[in-house]
Amino acid sequence: MKQYTIRRLLIMIPILLGVSIVVFALIACIPGDAIDAQFGTSHLSAAKIAALKASQGFDQPVVQRYFTWLGNALHGNFGYSFQYNLPVSTVIHDFIWNSFLLAIVSFILEMAIAIPIGVLSATKVHSFFDVLFTIVAFAGISLPSFFLALLLQKGFAVDLGWLPMDGMQSAGVNLTGAAHVGDVIQHMVLPVICLTMMGIGGTMRYVRTSMLEVIHQDYIRTARSKGLSERVVIYKHALKNACIPIVTFIGNAIPGLFSGALITETVFAWPGIGKIFLASINKRDYMFMMGYIMLLALLIMLGNLISDILYSVADPRIRLK
């Protein structure tokens, strides 16, 4: 296990290098840069804009710019965000935890709701309950996130006035302590409902399929023939084995906890990393885009590694080599 983990970590280095080359090359193909986005429509002369580009190194060849970026990145310097006039690492640190807060609460709710529903759908397959939740699951999967977000805003914020429409905290007030926490929770409710509803359908279907494969195995019939109660058979024997592939699903979900929900965060004006990334595309904030994408690539590889390790822990028959 130790050797496997070290080997996987070492393999990440050339993969990250390859990802950085591809992403940098693709970004370089996009017309314009941060100076054009900021000053392209201003009254600055062409000479002044050219001088600004030269000061930021935008006049250099792509290959030279890449090696400059790579050299700085190896020293922990991922460049400067033109959106916020701050280092990229600082911007990521300031906003990624807001996305993580939304994602972890949504993820816990999603698992807490989807797993029991998936188990019940599998044990009562083709029943009214199964058909009803299958329809609801497909509806949740099919609805665009922005449409669901707008429906929630219209119903709970505009018509009923129960919850804030957007933002992370109320404007014009300076709350502290428990009042501040309560205010943030109120603002979280709608985006969390949106993200949870979007995720429940897929997870429920995944759990249902895993359970259907397990409950028809011989050892489940043997457990029933021994006179064990249906509850023990399903929740102690079947669910335990059905959760093995779900471990992989959970491991792969780890990068999503930090990547932010681009559309949902934008609609609810939640100051998360997904909303910031979307704005960075419009503002040609290439240094932030590079830093954010490289962070995602690292998280995805770490998520896969954790998933593999958890898989071997959940099923001792699997040996990692």
Side-chain angles (χ1 to χ4, degrees):
M1 176 75 79
K2 185 179 177 181
Q3 289 182 346
Y4 173 81
T5 305
I6 293 173
R7 192 161 58 246
R8 284 285 298 270
L9 290 173
L10 291 175
I11 290 174
M12 289 181 188
I13 297 173
I15 295 176
L16 281 174
L17 191 62
V19 170
S20 69
I21 293 172
V22 172
V23 174
F24 201 94
L26 289 175
I27 287 177
C29 293
I30 302 174
D33 52 40
I35 302 299
D36 292 326
Q38 280 190 306
F39 304 105
T41 57
S42 68
H43 298 294
L44 288 179
S45 64
K48 187 69 176 177
I49 290 178
L52 285 172
K53 288 187 178 186
S55 68
Q56 299 300 324
F58 290 132
D59 61 334
Q60 297 172 353
V62 175
V63 175
Q64 185 177 346
R65 277 192 283 148
Y66 170 74
F67 280 107
T68 301
W69 175 86
L70 182 62
N72 292 332
L74 291 175
H75 290 86
N77 177 12
F78 290 91
Y80 199 78
S81 168
F82 286 93
Q83 280 187 93
Y84 293 93
N85 293 325
L86 289 170
V88 169
S89 56
T90 303
V91 177
I92 291 175
H93 178 271
D94 288 347
F95 290 98
I96 199 170
W97 299 111
N98 296 337
S99 293
F100 179 78
L101 180 62
L102 269 190
I104 191 66
V105 174
S106 305
F107 183 73
I108 292 172
L109 288 175
E110 180 185 322
M111 291 295 122
I113 296 171
I115 291 178
I117 292 177
V119 171
L120 286 174
S121 289
T123 55
K124 300 180 183 300
V125 65
H126 303 315
S127 66
F128 172 76
F129 180 88
D130 181 36
V131 173
L132 174 65
F133 278 97
T134 298
I135 293 172
V136 173
F138 278 115
I141 295 170
S142 305
L143 277 178
S145 59
F146 72 90
F147 181 71
L148 182 58
L150 291 175
L151 280 181
L152 291 170
Q153 285 181 325
K154 175 73 167 58
F156 293 97
V158 177
D159 294 341
L160 298 175
W162 289 351
L163 294 165
M165 178 179 286
D166 52 29
M168 189 173 178
Q169 54 190 347
S170 301
V173 294
N174 187 21
L175 301 174
T176 58
H180 172 69
V181 174
D183 189 46
V184 172
I185 291 174
Q186 277 193 331
H187 285 78
M188 281 178 60
V189 172
L190 290 183
V192 164
I193 290 175
C194 183
L195 291 174
T196 304
M197 291 179 67
M198 297 299 298
I200 282 178
T203 307
M204 190 275 276
R205 298 290 299 170
Y206 195 82
V207 174
R208 179 182 180 275
T209 303
S210 297
M211 281 295 293
L212 283 175
E213 291 177 358
V214 170
I215 59 179
H216 296 297
Q217 298 292 322
D218 291 339
Y219 67 89
I220 295 297
R221 283 193 285 271
T222 303
R224 286 192 175 114
S225 67
K226 286 181 177 179
L228 296 177
S229 67
E230 189 65 15
R231 184 182 183 84
V232 173
V233 171
I234 295 299
Y235 290 99
K236 185 176 180 181
H237 296 279
L239 181 59
K240 182 179 177 181
N241 289 285
C243 280
I244 292 174
I246 297 172
V247 168
T248 309
F249 176 80
I250 292 174
N252 290 330
I254 291 174
L257 299 179
F258 296 92
S259 62
L262 278 68
I263 304 300
T264 304
E265 289 181 359
T266 302
V267 173
F268 287 104
W270 184 265
I273 197 75
K275 176 174 177 288
I276 303 305
F277 178 69
L278 199 59
S280 73
I281 298 173
N282 295 327
K283 296 187 178 181
R284 308 290 196 275
D285 194 355
Y286 296 150
M287 288 297 105
F288 176 80
M289 292 165 65
M290 273 298 297
Y292 175 72
I293 293 173
M294 292 309 299
L295 174 66
L296 282 189
L298 177 63
L299 289 173
I300 289 170
M301 284 188 284
L302 288 176
N304 285 326
L305 175 60
I306 293 171
S307 176
D308 290 343
I309 293 173
L310 289 177
Y311 206 90
S312 68
V313 172
D315 188 352
R317 294 171 299 176
I318 296 173
R319 294 287 180 267
L320 300 178
K321 296 181 180 178

